[in-house]
Amino acid sequence: MASDDEQPEGSSSSNSTTTITTTWKGGWRSAIFTIFVEMAERFAYYGIVGNLIMYLLEVLEYQVAAAAKIVNIWQGTTMICTLFGAFVADSYLGRFTTILISSFIYLLGLVLLVISTSLDLSIHHRAPLVFLALYIIACGEGGHKPCVQTFAADQFDKDTSEEKKTKSSFFNWWCLGSVVGGTGGFAIVLFVQSYIGWAVGFAIPAAGMAVALALFLIGIRFYRRQGPLGSPFTRVAQVFVAAVRKRRLADEGFGICFENGDKGRLKLQNLARTNKFRFLDKAMILDSKDASTNIRNPWKLCSLNQVEEVKLVLCLVPIWLTSFSFFVVQAQLSTFFTKQSSTMDRRIGSHFQLPPASLSISFGVALAASCIIYDRVFVPLARKITGHTSGISMLKRIGIGHLLAILVMAVAALTEAKRLRIATENDIIDKPRAIVPMSVWWLLPQHMILGVADAFIVIGMQELFYDQMPEALRSLGAAASISADGIGSYLSSAIISITQGISSRHDGQKWLVDNLNRAHLDKFYGIILILCSLNFCAFVWIAKGFVYKKIRNWDDDTADQY
């Protein structure tokens, strides 16, 4: 059991799971289409989410804490749906088909949102339609978001050194396209909603999604496509079951099973054996029955590759868990950062006033600029010093993002304390509609630092979860990095509820009330700051013990770090 049947790249097969590769498909020729698709889809998504809290406050008349929780829960659900979408893509439909179907669902939700905001309805009748539309959009986003990113990265051949190097740069340009589309959509839709109307404002994202679908179809002849690879959870479960069944087997046994048993499947990398999670190694050790037969029971004997794939997943789980705190910070961007802005002086000249959510554009600008500087300046300089292909390791990039997130909350807490002090000095703390005589530009640093942090941690997470995930789990890997955003939104909502409950019992008044001049938003930010600091310590400890994927080189009996 030492052979590994693999199908040569570019060959044809009747098996639908084979990757089809030709010289004129893939690479930047096809990836550029997916980047433009991402730009158009992000234009649509941020056109909705960017000013959603103001729609809930002004049109549906929710209170500020309730509106913030609604936005957080919807964003969280949207991102959690990516796990289901990725599972369907990897197991049943393939990424291309999943993107296509989810795009139509996404567009359907957007059209319903436009209809619900256009009709002359009471709040009682309008709200259910709006929420139905939003959660249809969440379902569409769940299938589209994880698959289009992984589908784009699949256009680069991992076995070609030049394309492998290009892939690292691709993630930076992917993020840049995403930011340009999202920031453009946010800026245009925000001003349309503020000065023309909500119905027209929501119609623009619908048009953006229609463009995304059209662009995806235009590039169809250039794509490298990979079919479904079967349920990834089955392969993971087999390793645990086999390890438990052989828990009393001697470490040596009758040898190790090297055969993947994946005939007709995607060409797999030969993973090197590692010392992590040694209890799983029993699953690949042959006992007397295994050695005496050529038929392998996958629930009793797994290949070395299959066991190491499960170890890769287990290594990524703690990194995934520590990412939640950053997305709690990011959740404030579309909720309390926007509400803060609405209480401050937003005038430019004597005739123009910025909409409350407009400073979020600076987040996108900072993120876009950071992507360009990182790829064109930082990486080449760091590469000369470290010799690392990407300049610095993916975990170091993520760690810098965590540090910057701590800085964001420190700046936000200090800025809010200053705003409250000015409101008290001007005797307007009991006048919730009064504008605090403090320029809204004081909020600019926290927005821009958050944009820089996003360029480090989010892109780092995307690259790490694509690079370190087994091939059969890459859509789920992308979904895991995206779903962290959703869980962060849920946690933000939970922190709001816990803070409200504790503060009402101990202080006799909730910290987060509609009148921000009477609220204690600075203390709320302080709580998030403490949580982020503790989380960073945990991340550093976990990162020190992290083992990157290693590829077995059978020719010289060595293992190369991947």
Side-chain angles (χ1 to χ4, degrees), residues 13 19 56 73 84 120 147 159 211 272 294 309 318 328 436 441 451 480 487 489 512 518 547 561:
S13 171
T19 301
L56 296 174
I73 291 171
F84 177 75
D120 184 15
C147 295
D159 297 322
V211 170
N294 290 325
E309 285 177 352
V328 170
V436 177
W441 299 112
I487 295 174
S489 294
L512 305 174
R518 279 288 185 184
V547 177
Q561 183 167 299

Side-chain angles (χ1 to χ4, degrees), residues 53 98 117 158 162 173 209 217 231 239 259 273 287 298 300 318 333-334 396 416 462 484 501 526-527 532:
I53 190 170
T98 303
T117 54
K158 66 180 183 298
E162 185 62 31
W173 288 104
M209 192 60 212
L217 293 173
S231 174
V239 172
E259 180 182 329
R273 188 175 181 180
D287 60 16
K300 188 172 178 288
L333 180 68
S334 56
K396 287 179 181 176
E416 175 60 11
Q462 290 171 351
I527 290 173
C532 287

Side-chain angles (χ1 to χ4, degrees), residues 473-541:
L473 288 167
R474 277 183 169 162
S475 289
L476 275 173
S481 64
I482 296 167
S483 67
D485 190 346
I487 295 174
S489 294
Y490 281 136
L491 288 175
S492 178
S493 182
I495 293 170
I496 291 172
S497 297
I498 293 170
T499 301
Q500 294 288 72
I502 294 175
S503 61
S504 63
R505 285 198 301 269
H506 289 273
D507 295 344
Q509 177 184 322
K510 295 178 179 180
W511 281 5
L512 305 174
V513 293
D514 288 348
N515 180 7
L516 282 193
N517 298 332
R518 279 288 185 184
H520 296 285
L521 192 57
D522 55 336
K523 294 180 180 179
F524 176 72
Y525 287 162
I527 290 173
I528 298 177
L529 170 62
I530 293 170
L531 293 175
C532 287
S533 300
L534 294 173
N535 181 79
F536 176 71
C537 295
F539 172 81
V540 171
W541 180 73

